[in-house]
């Protein structure tokens, strides 16, 4: 869908804040928690329509957090930094490993508008017809649809946690009229929640979406001024290919200098220049094999 944008909506300072009562209200019943998740999702919808929010970057960073959660559900210990390394430091011919494959699946999901074809690219082990059938398993309101899809996938393929959560988020996005999948459920659900069914799973999903929508709004508020600052300093960059490099930094969670459209030395110097200008951060804390991002 196309979001309506007021005249002032390009200013990161105008990002609407999540109402305090959404997080301060204690709710126990399914009806009350559903009300709070609806309010949180509606507020997130407004934020996603804000021009100042670098939406591709936001989705990519949320994808990293979703992947970390899914890797944890599978019993593995890789955290955010290790997942970044597993994907961004791959050399031609290298395999990303199980954790890296999970992260790549989430990244592929958020890159393109949600569709059966896009989901099939992200989940190549699944038949597109099966993906479509699972998405059709969800009925009624958006969160109920997402919960039903998750329950159906995990009932039929009990260990397919990542696939079930990806498809649940896809069902949620479709129900809300969003063009792209926004990873929300995985990072806020617990492993035990994935074994729940019916109203218990719906309640867990509503609670997770309150938490994850609040976090997505907070992350949007953090990224919007960072993106604005990077755009503001971009005209100071003289290197050929700097514009394309800036665009990559505005759309990706992390970037290795070797992937930028510049010679290696020039790419490293550009990244160091952007760090000096306060426009990007070095994300690893290392002296070599560095990664950069907002």
């Amino acid at each position: 869908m196309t979001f309506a944008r007021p005249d002032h909506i390009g200013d990161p300072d105008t990002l609407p804040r999540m109402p305090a009562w959404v997080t301060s209200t204690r709710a126990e019943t399914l009806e009350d928690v559903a009300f709070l998740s609806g309010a949180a999702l509606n507020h997130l919808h407004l934020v996603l329509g804000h021009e100042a929010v670098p939406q591709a970057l936001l989705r990519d960073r949320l994808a990293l957090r979703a992947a970390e959660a899914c890797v944890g559900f599978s019993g593995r210990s890789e955290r955010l930094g290790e997942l970044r390394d597993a994907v961004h430091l791959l050399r031609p011919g290298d395999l990303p490993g199980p954790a890296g494959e999970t992260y790549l699946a989430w990244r592929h999901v958020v890159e393109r508008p949600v569709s059966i074809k896009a989901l099939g690219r992200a989940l190549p082990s699944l038949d597109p017809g099966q993906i479509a059938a699972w998405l059709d398993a969800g009925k009624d309101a958006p969160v109920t649809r997402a919960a039903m899809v998750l329950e159906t996938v995990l009932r039929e393929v009990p260990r397919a946690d990542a696939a079930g959560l990806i498809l649940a988020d896809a069902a949620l996005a479709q129900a809300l009229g969003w063009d792209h999948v926004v990873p929300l459920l995985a990072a806020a659900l617990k492993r035990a929640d994935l074994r729940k069914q019916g109203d218990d799973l719906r309640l867990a999903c509503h609670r997770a979406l309150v938490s994850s929508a609040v976090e997505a709004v907070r992350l949007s508020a953090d990224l919007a001024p960072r993106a604005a600052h990077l755009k503001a300093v971009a005209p100071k960059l003289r290197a050929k290919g700097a514009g394309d490099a800036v665009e990559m930094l505005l759309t990706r969670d992390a970037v290795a200098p070797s992937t930028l459209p510049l010679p290696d030395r020039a790419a490293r110097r550009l990244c160091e220049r952007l760090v000096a200008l306060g426009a990007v951060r070095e994300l690893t804390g290392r002296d070599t094999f560095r990664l950069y991002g907002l």
Side-chain angles (χ1 to χ4, degrees):
M1 68 177 293
T2 301
F3 294 97
R5 290 173 172 159
D7 292 340
H8 64 272
I9 208 157
D11 182 357
D13 292 333
T14 65
L15 275 177
R17 296 183 179 182
M18 182 74 73
W21 57 264
V22 171
T23 54
S24 62
T25 302
R26 297 191 58 152
E28 299 296 335
T29 68
L30 177 58
E31 181 181 18
D32 289 342
V33 178
F35 175 77
L36 292 178
S37 74
L41 287 169
N42 180 68
H43 188 83
L44 176 58
H45 180 86
L46 295 176
V47 170
L48 292 177
H50 202 293
E51 193 174 73
V53 177
Q55 294 192 35
L57 170 56
L58 173 66
R59 294 194 304 270
D60 201 31
R61 191 149 291 177
L62 291 173
L64 174 62
R65 297 182 182 191
E68 181 188 41
C70 290
V71 167
F73 294 152
S74 70
R76 301 185 64 88
S77 61
E78 287 90 343
R79 303 304 297 271
L80 298 180
E82 293 165 302
L83 290 173
R84 281 185 175 127
D85 286 352
V87 168
H88 294 292
L89 300 182
L90 276 178
R91 296 179 179 178
D94 286 349
L95 296 176
E101 288 180 355
T102 298
Y103 180 24
L104 283 172
W106 278 104
R107 291 195 77 205
H108 292 329
V109 159
V110 302
E111 285 174 349
R112 296 180 175 88
V114 60
S115 67
I116 300 299
K117 186 176 182 180
L119 291 167
R121 289 195 188 100
L123 301 167
S125 64
L126 299 180
D127 179 81
Q130 181 64 77
I131 291 173
W134 278 332
L135 287 179
D136 285 342
K139 306 295 182 185
D140 301 320
V143 181
T144 298
R145 287 179 60 179
M148 290 177 68
V149 169
L150 179 58
E151 181 177 346
T152 301
V153 174
L154 295 183
R155 182 176 61 248
E156 297 184 15
V157 190
R159 299 184 65 84
D161 295 341
L165 288 161
I166 285 172
L167 294 177
D169 271 331
L172 182 69
Q174 288 181 327
L176 293 172
W178 293 349
D179 292 334
H180 290 75
V181 171
V182 179
L184 294 174
L185 284 166
L189 285 171
K190 299 178 176 63
R191 182 184 297 183
D193 292 331
L194 302 183
R195 307 304 166 225
K196 294 177 179 177
Q197 298 178 345
D199 285 350
D200 289 339
L201 179 58
R202 288 170 57 203
L203 182 61
C205 287
H206 279 297
R207 283 181 171 149
L209 287 168
V210 173
S211 174
S212 57
V214 169
E215 175 59 20
V217 169
R218 186 206 63 78
L219 184 56
S220 299
D222 178 64
L223 291 176
R226 292 178 184 274
H229 182 50
L230 177 55
K231 292 176 182 178
V233 304
K236 300 179 181 180
L237 307 174
R238 305 296 182 187
K240 185 178 181 180
D244 291 336
V246 166
E247 183 61 26
M248 291 174 66
L249 288 160
L250 286 170
T251 56
R252 302 183 187 184
D253 164 70
V255 170
S258 60
T259 64
L260 297 177
L262 294 88
D264 285 347
R265 186 174 180 182
R268 289 195 298 272
R269 289 177 61 187
L270 175 67
C271 290
E272 291 167 1
R273 169 80 167 142
L274 288 171
V275 170
L277 290 169
V280 301
R281 297 174 294 165
E282 200 287 309
L283 301 173
T284 69
R286 298 187 295 245
D287 293 331
T288 58
F289 300 106
R290 289 182 159 189
L291 298 173
Y292 297 86
L294 266 65

